[in-house]
Amino acid sequence: MVSELSAQLARLDAGDLASIIARGEVSAGEVLDSTLERLEAVNGDLNAVIHDHRDLARTTVAAGVTGPFAGVPMLMKDLWACEAGLPHHQGVQALKRH
């Protein structure tokens, strides 16, 4: 079951999320918690998130990063984008071990 806050935040795009975080209407931590709640509710059926980096996300939120989209959760598709220290196998099973 997804909370009412999660349902409301899920309807917002990244720009709107960034705006309400910047105005202090909701904290980056609340947005992250809401996002993780929805992820747990739907990812079992979708299997869209195969590398869950929630600890890194919590560390980033706790560090208080700044910028126009600070606090807005984002997914990295591992077909093209790479991030140092995180898995990157372009969806190819054989590359998972490399």
Side-chain angles (χ1 to χ4, degrees), residues 43-92:
N43 197 51
D45 292 333
L46 298 176
N47 195 32
V49 177
I50 60 170
H51 300 294
D52 187 330
H53 301 291
R54 68 183 62 216
D55 293 337
L56 176 58
R58 290 194 190 287
T59 300
T60 303
V61 166
V65 296
T66 60
F69 289 98
V72 177
M74 298 186 188
L75 294 175
M76 296 275 292
K77 189 167 182 81
D78 90 341
L79 289 178
W80 310 110
C82 302
E83 191 169 351
L86 298 180
H88 180 76
H89 51 79
Q90 300 180 332
V92 178

mmCIF file of all heavy atoms in Angstrom, residues 43-92:
data_model
loop_
_atom_site.group_PDB
_atom_site.id
_atom_site.type_symbol
_atom_site.label_atom_id
_atom_site.label_comp_id
_atom_site.label_asym_id
_atom_site.label_seq_id
_atom_site.Cartn_x
_atom_site.Cartn_y
_atom_site.Cartn_z
ATOM 1 N N ASN A 43 8.089 -2.378 -8.043
ATOM 2 C CA ASN A 43 9.240 -2.943 -8.751
ATOM 3 C C ASN A 43 9.196 -4.471 -8.855
ATOM 4 O O ASN A 43 9.766 -5.025 -9.781
ATOM 5 C CB ASN A 43 10.561 -2.503 -8.131
ATOM 6 C CG ASN A 43 11.719 -2.738 -9.063
ATOM 7 O OD1 ASN A 43 11.677 -2.339 -10.217
ATOM 8 N ND2 ASN A 43 12.748 -3.403 -8.570
ATOM 9 N N GLY A 44 8.513 -5.132 -7.967
ATOM 10 C CA GLY A 44 8.411 -6.591 -8.065
ATOM 11 C C GLY A 44 7.789 -7.021 -9.377
ATOM 12 O O GLY A 44 8.219 -8.001 -9.995
ATOM 13 N N ASP A 45 6.796 -6.275 -9.831
ATOM 14 C CA ASP A 45 6.138 -6.580 -11.101
ATOM 15 C C ASP A 45 6.926 -6.054 -12.301
ATOM 16 O O ASP A 45 6.967 -6.674 -13.352
ATOM 17 C CB ASP A 45 4.731 -5.977 -11.139
ATOM 18 C CG ASP A 45 3.789 -6.647 -10.158
ATOM 19 O OD1 ASP A 45 4.004 -7.832 -9.828
ATOM 20 O OD2 ASP A 45 2.846 -5.980 -9.708
ATOM 21 N N LEU A 46 7.551 -4.901 -12.130
ATOM 22 C CA LEU A 46 8.229 -4.257 -13.255
ATOM 23 C C LEU A 46 9.669 -4.704 -13.448
ATOM 24 O O LEU A 46 10.159 -4.757 -14.568
ATOM 25 C CB LEU A 46 8.227 -2.732 -13.069
ATOM 26 C CG LEU A 46 6.880 -2.046 -13.020
ATOM 27 C CD1 LEU A 46 7.063 -0.567 -12.741
ATOM 28 C CD2 LEU A 46 6.130 -2.266 -14.309
ATOM 29 N N ASN A 47 10.365 -4.956 -12.342
ATOM 30 C CA ASN A 47 11.795 -5.246 -12.354
ATOM 31 C C ASN A 47 12.568 -4.160 -13.124
ATOM 32 O O ASN A 47 13.490 -4.431 -13.868
ATOM 33 C CB ASN A 47 12.082 -6.626 -12.948
ATOM 34 C CG ASN A 47 13.492 -7.092 -12.626
ATOM 35 O OD1 ASN A 47 14.044 -6.764 -11.579
ATOM 36 N ND2 ASN A 47 14.089 -7.845 -13.523
ATOM 37 N N ALA A 48 12.165 -2.913 -12.911
ATOM 38 C CA ALA A 48 12.801 -1.791 -13.592
ATOM 39 C C ALA A 48 14.094 -1.372 -12.909
ATOM 40 O O ALA A 48 15.012 -0.897 -13.560
ATOM 41 C CB ALA A 48 11.840 -0.603 -13.645
ATOM 42 N N VAL A 49 14.172 -1.548 -11.596
ATOM 43 C CA VAL A 49 15.364 -1.173 -10.843
ATOM 44 C C VAL A 49 16.070 -2.461 -10.436
ATOM 45 O O VAL A 49 15.585 -3.209 -9.596
ATOM 46 C CB VAL A 49 15.010 -0.328 -9.598
ATOM 47 C CG1 VAL A 49 16.247 -0.001 -8.782
ATOM 48 C CG2 VAL A 49 14.289 0.945 -10.030
ATOM 49 N N ILE A 50 17.209 -2.712 -11.080
ATOM 50 C CA ILE A 50 17.916 -3.964 -10.795
ATOM 51 C C ILE A 50 19.091 -3.768 -9.852
ATOM 52 O O ILE A 50 19.590 -4.715 -9.270
ATOM 53 C CB ILE A 50 18.373 -4.659 -12.100
ATOM 54 C CG1 ILE A 50 19.308 -3.764 -12.894
ATOM 55 C CG2 ILE A 50 17.163 -5.070 -12.931
ATOM 56 C CD1 ILE A 50 19.992 -4.450 -14.055
ATOM 57 N N HIS A 51 19.554 -2.518 -9.718
ATOM 58 C CA HIS A 51 20.619 -2.185 -8.766
ATOM 59 C C HIS A 51 20.074 -1.115 -7.839
ATOM 60 O O HIS A 51 19.954 0.047 -8.226
ATOM 61 C CB HIS A 51 21.878 -1.673 -9.471
ATOM 62 C CG HIS A 51 22.482 -2.653 -10.413
ATOM 63 N ND1 HIS A 51 23.044 -3.832 -9.989
ATOM 64 C CD2 HIS A 51 22.596 -2.639 -11.752
ATOM 65 C CE1 HIS A 51 23.483 -4.493 -11.040
ATOM 66 N NE2 HIS A 51 23.216 -3.796 -12.122
ATOM 67 N N ASP A 52 19.730 -1.511 -6.641
ATOM 68 C CA ASP A 52 19.121 -0.612 -5.676
ATOM 69 C C ASP A 52 20.222 0.059 -4.853
ATOM 70 O O ASP A 52 20.925 -0.605 -4.097
ATOM 71 C CB ASP A 52 18.186 -1.428 -4.773
ATOM 72 C CG ASP A 52 17.368 -0.581 -3.845
ATOM 73 O OD1 ASP A 52 17.822 0.509 -3.436
ATOM 74 O OD2 ASP A 52 16.256 -1.010 -3.501
ATOM 75 N N HIS A 53 20.361 1.360 -5.022
ATOM 76 C CA HIS A 53 21.413 2.111 -4.328
ATOM 77 C C HIS A 53 20.810 3.060 -3.296
ATOM 78 O O HIS A 53 21.210 4.206 -3.188
ATOM 79 C CB HIS A 53 22.261 2.888 -5.340
ATOM 80 C CG HIS A 53 22.913 2.015 -6.349
ATOM 81 N ND1 HIS A 53 23.920 1.138 -6.031
ATOM 82 C CD2 HIS A 53 22.681 1.859 -7.664
ATOM 83 C CE1 HIS A 53 24.292 0.488 -7.111
ATOM 84 N NE2 HIS A 53 23.550 0.906 -8.118
ATOM 85 N N ARG A 54 19.864 2.557 -2.528
ATOM 86 C CA ARG A 54 19.179 3.409 -1.554
ATOM 87 C C ARG A 54 20.126 3.944 -0.493
ATOM 88 O O ARG A 54 19.939 5.066 -0.020
ATOM 89 C CB ARG A 54 17.971 2.712 -0.939
ATOM 90 C CG ARG A 54 18.298 1.547 -0.043
ATOM 91 C CD ARG A 54 17.059 0.837 0.477
ATOM 92 N NE ARG A 54 16.301 0.298 -0.636
ATOM 93 C CZ ARG A 54 14.968 0.270 -0.644
ATOM 94 N NH1 ARG A 54 14.279 0.695 0.368
ATOM 95 N NH2 ARG A 54 14.340 -0.207 -1.691
ATOM 96 N N ASP A 55 21.147 3.181 -0.122
ATOM 97 C CA ASP A 55 22.100 3.681 0.874
ATOM 98 C C ASP A 55 22.867 4.884 0.327
ATOM 99 O O ASP A 55 23.073 5.867 1.039
ATOM 100 C CB ASP A 55 23.067 2.586 1.305
ATOM 101 C CG ASP A 55 22.379 1.474 2.091
ATOM 102 O OD1 ASP A 55 21.309 1.737 2.672
ATOM 103 O OD2 ASP A 55 22.909 0.353 2.110
ATOM 104 N N LEU A 56 23.272 4.815 -0.924
ATOM 105 C CA LEU A 56 23.946 5.939 -1.563
ATOM 106 C C LEU A 56 23.000 7.140 -1.647
ATOM 107 O O LEU A 56 23.404 8.281 -1.402
ATOM 108 C CB LEU A 56 24.438 5.544 -2.953
ATOM 109 C CG LEU A 56 25.092 6.631 -3.790
ATOM 110 C CD1 LEU A 56 26.310 7.224 -3.070
ATOM 111 C CD2 LEU A 56 25.482 6.083 -5.151
ATOM 112 N N ALA A 57 21.745 6.889 -1.962
ATOM 113 C CA ALA A 57 20.758 7.975 -2.038
ATOM 114 C C ALA A 57 20.578 8.633 -0.669
ATOM 115 O O ALA A 57 20.546 9.862 -0.563
ATOM 116 C CB ALA A 57 19.430 7.437 -2.552
ATOM 117 N N ARG A 58 20.483 7.824 0.379
ATOM 118 C CA ARG A 58 20.327 8.384 1.733
ATOM 119 C C ARG A 58 21.560 9.188 2.136
ATOM 120 O O ARG A 58 21.443 10.256 2.736
ATOM 121 C CB ARG A 58 20.049 7.280 2.737
ATOM 122 C CG ARG A 58 18.677 6.674 2.578
ATOM 123 C CD ARG A 58 18.290 5.830 3.783
ATOM 124 N NE ARG A 58 17.088 5.073 3.537
ATOM 125 C CZ ARG A 58 15.854 5.578 3.482
ATOM 126 N NH1 ARG A 58 15.677 6.862 3.623
ATOM 127 N NH2 ARG A 58 14.821 4.801 3.259
ATOM 128 N N THR A 59 22.743 8.692 1.797
ATOM 129 C CA THR A 59 23.983 9.410 2.098
ATOM 130 C C THR A 59 24.015 10.748 1.358
ATOM 131 O O THR A 59 24.399 11.773 1.927
ATOM 132 C CB THR A 59 25.211 8.560 1.698
ATOM 133 O OG1 THR A 59 25.175 7.350 2.447
ATOM 134 C CG2 THR A 59 26.505 9.287 1.969
ATOM 135 N N THR A 60 23.592 10.748 0.117
ATOM 136 C CA THR A 60 23.573 11.965 -0.685
ATOM 137 C C THR A 60 22.592 12.982 -0.099
ATOM 138 O O THR A 60 22.918 14.169 0.021
ATOM 139 C CB THR A 60 23.210 11.643 -2.149
ATOM 140 O OG1 THR A 60 24.156 10.700 -2.653
ATOM 141 C CG2 THR A 60 23.213 12.888 -3.016
ATOM 142 N N VAL A 61 21.411 12.531 0.287
ATOM 143 C CA VAL A 61 20.421 13.433 0.892
ATOM 144 C C VAL A 61 20.955 13.987 2.211
ATOM 145 O O VAL A 61 20.854 15.185 2.483
ATOM 146 C CB VAL A 61 19.069 12.715 1.095
ATOM 147 C CG1 VAL A 61 18.157 13.496 2.019
ATOM 148 C CG2 VAL A 61 18.386 12.484 -0.244
ATOM 149 N N ALA A 62 21.557 13.126 3.031
ATOM 150 C CA ALA A 62 22.087 13.554 4.322
ATOM 151 C C ALA A 62 23.217 14.570 4.170
ATOM 152 O O ALA A 62 23.407 15.437 5.030
ATOM 153 C CB ALA A 62 22.575 12.347 5.120
ATOM 154 N N ALA A 63 23.960 14.489 3.066
ATOM 155 C CA ALA A 63 25.068 15.415 2.830
ATOM 156 C C ALA A 63 24.567 16.812 2.475
ATOM 157 O O ALA A 63 25.341 17.770 2.509
ATOM 158 C CB ALA A 63 25.974 14.882 1.721
ATOM 159 N N GLY A 64 23.295 16.919 2.130
ATOM 160 C CA GLY A 64 22.730 18.225 1.821
ATOM 161 C C GLY A 64 23.253 18.829 0.532
ATOM 162 O O GLY A 64 23.573 20.009 0.484
ATOM 163 N N VAL A 65 23.331 18.021 -0.490
ATOM 164 C CA VAL A 65 23.819 18.529 -1.778
ATOM 165 C C VAL A 65 22.933 19.670 -2.264
ATOM 166 O O VAL A 65 21.770 19.770 -1.892
ATOM 167 C CB VAL A 65 23.902 17.419 -2.847
ATOM 168 C CG1 VAL A 65 24.903 16.363 -2.458
ATOM 169 C CG2 VAL A 65 22.547 16.803 -3.094
ATOM 170 N N THR A 66 23.506 20.526 -3.084
ATOM 171 C CA THR A 66 22.765 21.669 -3.613
ATOM 172 C C THR A 66 22.739 21.606 -5.127
ATOM 173 O O THR A 66 23.487 20.861 -5.748
ATOM 174 C CB THR A 66 23.409 22.993 -3.170
ATOM 175 O OG1 THR A 66 24.759 23.032 -3.657
ATOM 176 C CG2 THR A 66 23.397 23.130 -1.665
ATOM 177 N N GLY A 67 21.891 22.387 -5.691
ATOM 178 C CA GLY A 67 21.762 22.445 -7.140
ATOM 179 C C GLY A 67 20.305 22.511 -7.519
ATOM 180 O O GLY A 67 19.425 22.345 -6.676
ATOM 181 N N PRO A 68 20.019 22.750 -8.790
ATOM 182 C CA PRO A 68 18.629 22.931 -9.207
ATOM 183 C C PRO A 68 17.744 21.701 -9.001
ATOM 184 O O PRO A 68 16.542 21.843 -8.813
ATOM 185 C CB PRO A 68 18.732 23.298 -10.688
ATOM 186 C CG PRO A 68 20.110 22.979 -11.106
ATOM 187 C CD PRO A 68 20.962 22.929 -9.881
ATOM 188 N N PHE A 69 18.323 20.516 -9.017
ATOM 189 C CA PHE A 69 17.526 19.307 -8.821
ATOM 190 C C PHE A 69 17.940 18.553 -7.552
ATOM 191 O O PHE A 69 17.714 17.347 -7.434
ATOM 192 C CB PHE A 69 17.612 18.391 -10.047
ATOM 193 C CG PHE A 69 16.868 18.945 -11.220
ATOM 194 C CD1 PHE A 69 17.532 19.638 -12.213
ATOM 195 C CD2 PHE A 69 15.490 18.810 -11.309
ATOM 196 C CE1 PHE A 69 16.845 20.179 -13.289
ATOM 197 C CE2 PHE A 69 14.795 19.348 -12.379
ATOM 198 C CZ PHE A 69 15.468 20.039 -13.370
ATOM 199 N N ALA A 70 18.523 19.257 -6.608
ATOM 200 C CA ALA A 70 18.942 18.643 -5.343
ATOM 201 C C ALA A 70 17.737 18.024 -4.644
ATOM 202 O O ALA A 70 16.705 18.662 -4.481
ATOM 203 C CB ALA A 70 19.593 19.687 -4.443
ATOM 204 N N GLY A 71 17.873 16.762 -4.278
ATOM 205 C CA GLY A 71 16.808 16.059 -3.580
ATOM 206 C C GLY A 71 15.819 15.352 -4.470
ATOM 207 O O GLY A 71 14.933 14.652 -3.982
ATOM 208 N N VAL A 72 15.934 15.524 -5.778
ATOM 209 C CA VAL A 72 15.013 14.866 -6.704
ATOM 210 C C VAL A 72 15.604 13.507 -7.068
ATOM 211 O O VAL A 72 16.670 13.430 -7.673
ATOM 212 C CB VAL A 72 14.801 15.709 -7.984
ATOM 213 C CG1 VAL A 72 13.901 14.972 -8.977
ATOM 214 C CG2 VAL A 72 14.218 17.064 -7.632
ATOM 215 N N PRO A 73 14.930 12.415 -6.685
ATOM 216 C CA PRO A 73 15.449 11.077 -7.011
ATOM 217 C C PRO A 73 15.478 10.850 -8.523
ATOM 218 O O PRO A 73 14.580 11.286 -9.243
ATOM 219 C CB PRO A 73 14.443 10.122 -6.362
ATOM 220 C CG PRO A 73 13.730 10.942 -5.347
ATOM 221 C CD PRO A 73 13.717 12.341 -5.883
ATOM 222 N N MET A 74 16.525 10.181 -8.979
ATOM 223 C CA MET A 74 16.660 9.884 -10.402
ATOM 224 C C MET A 74 17.172 8.457 -10.569
ATOM 225 O O MET A 74 17.878 7.951 -9.718
ATOM 226 C CB MET A 74 17.639 10.852 -11.055
ATOM 227 C CG MET A 74 17.189 12.274 -10.993
ATOM 228 S SD MET A 74 18.270 13.325 -11.914
ATOM 229 C CE MET A 74 17.628 14.918 -11.442
ATOM 230 N N LEU A 75 16.804 7.861 -11.665
ATOM 231 C CA LEU A 75 17.294 6.531 -12.004
ATOM 232 C C LEU A 75 18.342 6.651 -13.101
ATOM 233 O O LEU A 75 18.245 7.498 -13.974
ATOM 234 C CB LEU A 75 16.150 5.650 -12.512
ATOM 235 C CG LEU A 75 15.076 5.300 -11.503
ATOM 236 C CD1 LEU A 75 13.952 4.530 -12.193
ATOM 237 C CD2 LEU A 75 15.638 4.497 -10.365
ATOM 238 N N MET A 76 19.327 5.782 -13.019
ATOM 239 C CA MET A 76 20.354 5.724 -14.063
ATOM 240 C C MET A 76 20.132 4.430 -14.850
ATOM 241 O O MET A 76 20.191 3.349 -14.275
ATOM 242 C CB MET A 76 21.752 5.690 -13.443
ATOM 243 C CG MET A 76 22.141 6.908 -12.668
ATOM 244 S SD MET A 76 22.813 8.206 -13.678
ATOM 245 C CE MET A 76 24.345 7.472 -14.198
ATOM 246 N N LYS A 77 19.875 4.550 -16.117
ATOM 247 C CA LYS A 77 19.748 3.381 -16.981
ATOM 248 C C LYS A 77 21.151 2.964 -17.388
ATOM 249 O O LYS A 77 21.918 3.780 -17.882
ATOM 250 C CB LYS A 77 18.897 3.718 -18.194
ATOM 251 C CG LYS A 77 18.552 2.516 -19.026
ATOM 252 C CD LYS A 77 17.467 2.882 -20.008
ATOM 253 C CE LYS A 77 17.041 1.707 -20.823
ATOM 254 N NZ LYS A 77 16.101 0.841 -20.151
ATOM 255 N N ASP A 78 21.495 1.725 -17.165
ATOM 256 C CA ASP A 78 22.887 1.333 -17.393
ATOM 257 C C ASP A 78 23.183 0.930 -18.840
ATOM 258 O O ASP A 78 24.140 0.244 -19.114
ATOM 259 C CB ASP A 78 23.337 0.277 -16.384
ATOM 260 C CG ASP A 78 23.109 -1.153 -16.806
ATOM 261 O OD1 ASP A 78 22.293 -1.400 -17.711
ATOM 262 O OD2 ASP A 78 23.755 -2.031 -16.231
ATOM 263 N N LEU A 79 22.386 1.410 -19.773
ATOM 264 C CA LEU A 79 22.716 1.154 -21.171
ATOM 265 C C LEU A 79 23.820 2.088 -21.644
ATOM 266 O O LEU A 79 24.678 1.718 -22.425
ATOM 267 C CB LEU A 79 21.483 1.323 -22.058
ATOM 268 C CG LEU A 79 20.432 0.225 -21.910
ATOM 269 C CD1 LEU A 79 19.234 0.516 -22.786
ATOM 270 C CD2 LEU A 79 21.013 -1.134 -22.231
ATOM 271 N N TRP A 80 23.789 3.341 -21.200
ATOM 272 C CA TRP A 80 24.775 4.311 -21.650
ATOM 273 C C TRP A 80 25.495 4.981 -20.488
ATOM 274 O O TRP A 80 26.690 5.186 -20.540
ATOM 275 C CB TRP A 80 24.126 5.387 -22.526
ATOM 276 C CG TRP A 80 23.279 4.809 -23.601
ATOM 277 C CD1 TRP A 80 21.929 4.853 -23.681
ATOM 278 C CD2 TRP A 80 23.708 4.054 -24.738
ATOM 279 N NE1 TRP A 80 21.488 4.188 -24.796
ATOM 280 C CE2 TRP A 80 22.564 3.689 -25.466
ATOM 281 C CE3 TRP A 80 24.946 3.649 -25.207
ATOM 282 C CZ2 TRP A 80 22.623 2.961 -26.633
ATOM 283 C CZ3 TRP A 80 24.999 2.919 -26.376
ATOM 284 C CH2 TRP A 80 23.856 2.580 -27.079
ATOM 285 N N ALA A 81 24.746 5.367 -19.481
ATOM 286 C CA ALA A 81 25.323 6.142 -18.379
ATOM 287 C C ALA A 81 26.148 5.257 -17.451
ATOM 288 O O ALA A 81 25.773 4.136 -17.148
ATOM 289 C CB ALA A 81 24.213 6.811 -17.590
ATOM 290 N N CYS A 82 27.274 5.790 -17.024
ATOM 291 C CA CYS A 82 28.143 5.089 -16.083
ATOM 292 C C CYS A 82 28.377 5.998 -14.880
ATOM 293 O O CYS A 82 28.442 7.211 -15.024
ATOM 294 C CB CYS A 82 29.508 4.778 -16.694
ATOM 295 S SG CYS A 82 29.466 3.790 -18.176
ATOM 296 N N GLU A 83 28.517 5.398 -13.727
ATOM 297 C CA GLU A 83 28.868 6.145 -12.532
ATOM 298 C C GLU A 83 29.948 5.365 -11.810
ATOM 299 O O GLU A 83 29.803 4.154 -11.582
ATOM 300 C CB GLU A 83 27.636 6.337 -11.646
ATOM 301 C CG GLU A 83 27.867 7.323 -10.541
ATOM 302 C CD GLU A 83 26.595 7.721 -9.826
ATOM 303 O OE1 GLU A 83 25.497 7.371 -10.279
ATOM 304 O OE2 GLU A 83 26.709 8.389 -8.800
ATOM 305 N N ALA A 84 31.026 6.033 -11.465
ATOM 306 C CA ALA A 84 32.170 5.373 -10.833
ATOM 307 C C ALA A 84 31.740 4.562 -9.616
ATOM 308 O O ALA A 84 30.988 5.037 -8.780
ATOM 309 C CB ALA A 84 33.206 6.414 -10.430
ATOM 310 N N GLY A 85 32.208 3.322 -9.564
ATOM 311 C CA GLY A 85 31.951 2.458 -8.430
ATOM 312 C C GLY A 85 30.623 1.718 -8.459
ATOM 313 O O GLY A 85 30.351 0.908 -7.578
ATOM 314 N N LEU A 86 29.798 1.982 -9.456
ATOM 315 C CA LEU A 86 28.506 1.308 -9.554
ATOM 316 C C LEU A 86 28.513 0.345 -10.738
ATOM 317 O O LEU A 86 29.225 0.566 -11.716
ATOM 318 C CB LEU A 86 27.380 2.333 -9.713
ATOM 319 C CG LEU A 86 27.199 3.303 -8.553
ATOM 320 C CD1 LEU A 86 26.054 4.260 -8.835
ATOM 321 C CD2 LEU A 86 26.965 2.567 -7.246
ATOM 322 N N PRO A 87 27.722 -0.731 -10.662
ATOM 323 C CA PRO A 87 27.707 -1.718 -11.743
ATOM 324 C C PRO A 87 27.290 -1.111 -13.078
ATOM 325 O O PRO A 87 26.473 -0.201 -13.127
ATOM 326 C CB PRO A 87 26.656 -2.738 -11.286
ATOM 327 C CG PRO A 87 26.375 -2.441 -9.870
ATOM 328 C CD PRO A 87 26.794 -1.040 -9.598
ATOM 329 N N HIS A 88 27.870 -1.634 -14.127
ATOM 330 C CA HIS A 88 27.514 -1.196 -15.476
ATOM 331 C C HIS A 88 27.704 -2.384 -16.416
ATOM 332 O O HIS A 88 28.822 -2.776 -16.717
ATOM 333 C CB HIS A 88 28.419 -0.036 -15.914
ATOM 334 C CG HIS A 88 28.106 0.459 -17.289
ATOM 335 N ND1 HIS A 88 27.009 1.248 -17.554
ATOM 336 C CD2 HIS A 88 28.722 0.268 -18.471
ATOM 337 C CE1 HIS A 88 26.985 1.530 -18.848
ATOM 338 N NE2 HIS A 88 28.012 0.936 -19.421
ATOM 339 N N HIS A 89 26.599 -2.987 -16.833
ATOM 340 C CA HIS A 89 26.712 -4.158 -17.720
ATOM 341 C C HIS A 89 25.776 -4.071 -18.916
ATOM 342 O O HIS A 89 25.616 -5.027 -19.651
ATOM 343 C CB HIS A 89 26.508 -5.468 -16.951
ATOM 344 C CG HIS A 89 25.283 -5.498 -16.109
ATOM 345 N ND1 HIS A 89 24.047 -5.728 -16.608
ATOM 346 C CD2 HIS A 89 25.129 -5.325 -14.780
ATOM 347 C CE1 HIS A 89 23.152 -5.707 -15.633
ATOM 348 N NE2 HIS A 89 23.778 -5.451 -14.513
ATOM 349 N N GLN A 90 25.176 -2.914 -19.122
ATOM 350 C CA GLN A 90 24.351 -2.646 -20.296
ATOM 351 C C GLN A 90 23.255 -3.683 -20.516
ATOM 352 O O GLN A 90 22.870 -3.962 -21.642
ATOM 353 C CB GLN A 90 25.228 -2.505 -21.538
ATOM 354 C CG GLN A 90 26.229 -1.392 -21.421
ATOM 355 C CD GLN A 90 27.090 -1.265 -22.647
ATOM 356 O OE1 GLN A 90 27.343 -2.228 -23.362
ATOM 357 N NE2 GLN A 90 27.547 -0.054 -22.904
ATOM 358 N N GLY A 91 22.759 -4.262 -19.451
ATOM 359 C CA GLY A 91 21.692 -5.238 -19.564
ATOM 360 C C GLY A 91 22.119 -6.578 -20.128
ATOM 361 O O GLY A 91 21.283 -7.420 -20.437
ATOM 362 N N VAL A 92 23.417 -6.792 -20.256
ATOM 363 C CA VAL A 92 23.938 -8.035 -20.828
ATOM 364 C C VAL A 92 24.354 -8.964 -19.694
ATOM 365 O O VAL A 92 25.236 -8.635 -18.899
ATOM 366 C CB VAL A 92 25.148 -7.757 -21.760
ATOM 367 C CG1 VAL A 92 25.717 -9.056 -22.301
ATOM 368 C CG2 VAL A 92 24.732 -6.825 -22.881
#
